[in-house]
Amino acid sequence: MGGGWMNSGGGDDDSKVRGGYKNQTLRPVTIKQLVEVPITTGDMPVHIDGEEIKQIKFVGIVRNIVQQSVNVTYSVEDGTGKIDVRMWINGESGEEGTRDQMLDPSIAIG
């Protein structure tokens, strides 16, 4: 009776057509990587470094904030580039507190 892990053959297999755990993970990226992604049309998947991307996250410094009645636009820089990020505001969902919290100079988008 030894302890340890046994390969039962079950679980998630990354090679299956439906995708796998690898395709569902959160991918850290730089702004430079995002800016260099070729523009796709329709439902074409986005690829970074040869891998299909489903979810991303990047960290940067907010350099400028433009508030409008329906959205807030943040100019974010991470040392590799600069990008504008827009957060849409739905007045009924109570996002006013979220907008005030986002005024911190450092931000994580993802």
Side-chain angles (χ1 to χ4, degrees), residues 9-25:
D12 198 9
D13 182 4
D14 285 340
S15 64
K16 293 182 181 176
V17 173
R18 65 177 168 84
Y21 178 76
K22 183 176 180 181
N23 287 338
Q24 302 301 318
T25 59

Side-chain angles (χ1 to χ4, degrees), residues 8-89:
S8 64
D12 198 9
D13 182 4
D14 285 340
S15 64
K16 293 182 181 176
V17 173
R18 65 177 168 84
Y21 178 76
K22 183 176 180 181
N23 287 338
Q24 302 301 318
T25 59
L26 183 65
R27 165 87 186 253
V29 296
T30 64
I31 292 174
K32 180 180 179 188
Q33 287 176 303
L34 292 177
V35 172
E36 292 176 349
V37 170
I39 297 173
T40 60
T41 58
D43 292 334
M44 297 291 296
V46 174
H47 289 83
I48 295 179
D49 296 334
E51 292 186 17
E52 184 176 342
I53 302 300
K54 300 285 185 178
Q55 300 179 44
I56 63 161
K57 184 170 198 165
F58 65 91
V59 176
I61 301 294
V62 177
R63 297 295 185 193
N64 189 35
I65 301 170
V66 177
Q67 294 186 9
Q68 297 179 357
S69 61
V70 295
N71 66 52
V72 179
T73 302
Y74 302 93
S75 293
V76 182
E77 182 180 348
D78 72 348
T80 67
K82 180 180 165 190
I83 194 168
D84 288 339
V85 179
R86 184 166 292 145
M87 180 177 76
W88 296 96
I89 299 171

